[in-house]
Amino acid sequence: MKSNFFQIKYFKHGTAIKGFYLCKNINYKVTRLGDEYVDLFLEDSTGSIRAKIWSNINFYKNNLDRIYPVAVKG
């Protein structure tokens, strides 16, 4: 069975991805319109990338920890 997990160096604009990445940094921010979001810095053995979470912010505030692996689908 072929794995559909993507390493960061193979990300391409417009392609759906999924995988497990190390969460190196988490910032909880607010847009100029007052909407909360999460700004993440994710890393694997091939590179790093910034990611944003726009919904269910309260869930992530209670369940995300820096320096831990996270599952990503997007």
Side-chain angles (χ1 to χ4, degrees):
M1 179 175 201
K2 184 181 176 200
S3 170
N4 291 327
F5 295 131
F6 286 86
Q7 292 179 311
I8 290 174
K9 76 176 185 178
Y10 297 114
F11 285 8
K12 298 221 185 302
H13 182 74
T15 302
I17 59 103
K18 64 181 174 180
F20 294 91
Y21 309 98
L22 186 63
C23 184
K24 296 293 279 187
N25 195 12
I26 302 169
N27 291 303
Y28 298 97
K29 297 184 175 183
V30 178
T31 68
R32 62 185 170 94
L33 297 176
D35 298 322
E36 291 184 300
Y37 68 99
V38 183
D39 186 25
L40 303 166
F41 190 75
L42 304 175
E43 185 176 278
D44 70 6
S45 62
T46 67
S48 59
I49 193 167
R50 291 184 75 172
K52 308 259 189 290
I53 300 173
W54 298 100
S55 58
N56 300 322
I57 303 309
N58 287 328
F59 171 81
Y60 293 107
K61 280 184 179 178
N62 296 321
N63 291 297
L64 274 178
D65 288 315
R66 193 171 73 78
I67 317 284
Y68 284 97
V70 294
V72 175
K73 181 178 175 184

